[in-house]
């Protein structure tokens, strides 16, 4: 019926949209390549936030380029290491009760 035809058209449109995303045109891939090179330069300058923004845009243009994902993850790791995500954890000293070595042995012998 008519509903089936509309559903089929929607599926076809979605397929074409996904196909276009997975097979980017040459100009889209070139834009992603330019962003990747600019992001590499930002990474070398340790401007990781800028690099992440550029790489995110590049990934939207060319999601199958593994180098983009790898470089962006390196940026996230570098950001985490440099900023510690803004959290400075204070180490708390934990006081454990001291157990004498001889007491530990006697406890294990009594369980047997």
């Amino acid at each position: 019926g008519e509903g089936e035809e509309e559903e089929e058209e929607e599926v076809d449109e979605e397929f074409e949209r996904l196909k276009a995303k997975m097979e980017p045109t040459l100009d889209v891939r070139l834009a992603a390549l330019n962003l990747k090179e600019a992001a590499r330069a930002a990474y070398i300058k340790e401007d990781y936030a800028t690099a992440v923004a550029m790489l995110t845009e590049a990934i939207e243009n060319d999601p199958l380029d593994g180098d983009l994902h790898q470089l962006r993850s390196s940026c996230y790791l570098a950001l985490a290491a440099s900023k510690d995500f803004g959290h400075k954890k204070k180490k708390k000293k934990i006081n454990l009760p001291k157990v004498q070595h001889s007491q530990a042995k006697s406890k294990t012998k009594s369980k047997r």
Side-chain angles (χ1 to χ4, degrees):
E2 194 175 303
E4 288 177 8
E5 286 178 19
E6 285 178 16
E7 190 175 308
E8 195 172 305
E9 278 182 31
E10 286 178 22
V11 170
D12 287 343
E13 287 173 11
E14 180 68 7
F15 174 78
E16 289 302 319
R17 188 185 69 75
L18 290 172
K19 184 179 172 189
K21 195 160 185 76
M22 292 310 191
E23 297 174 3
T25 59
L26 193 57
D27 59 327
V28 170
R29 293 194 70 199
L30 186 60
L33 185 64
N34 288 334
L35 281 167
K36 180 175 22 176
E37 293 310 312
R40 276 205 178 111
Y43 179 85
I44 290 168
K45 293 177 186 173
E46 299 181 8
D47 185 0
Y48 305 118
T50 299
V52 165
M54 291 176 179
L55 291 163
T56 299
E57 185 179 340
I59 288 168
E60 288 173 9
N61 291 335
D62 193 0
L64 297 180
D65 185 342
D67 290 343
L68 298 172
H69 295 276
Q70 182 181 6
L71 185 56
R72 185 171 68 171
S73 66
S74 296
C75 290
Y76 281 133
L77 288 171
L79 277 170
S82 67
K83 293 183 179 176
D84 198 22
F85 281 129
H87 302 289
K88 293 289 180 191
K89 293 184 180 178
K90 294 180 181 176
K91 293 182 182 179
K92 291 183 180 178
K93 187 176 180 184
I94 300 169
N95 294 319
L96 297 173
K98 292 183 180 179
V99 178
Q100 295 290 334
H101 187 65
S102 60
Q103 287 176 339
K105 280 187 178 178
S106 64
K107 285 182 182 177
T108 51
K109 285 181 184 175
S110 64
K111 288 182 183 176
R112 288 183 186 169

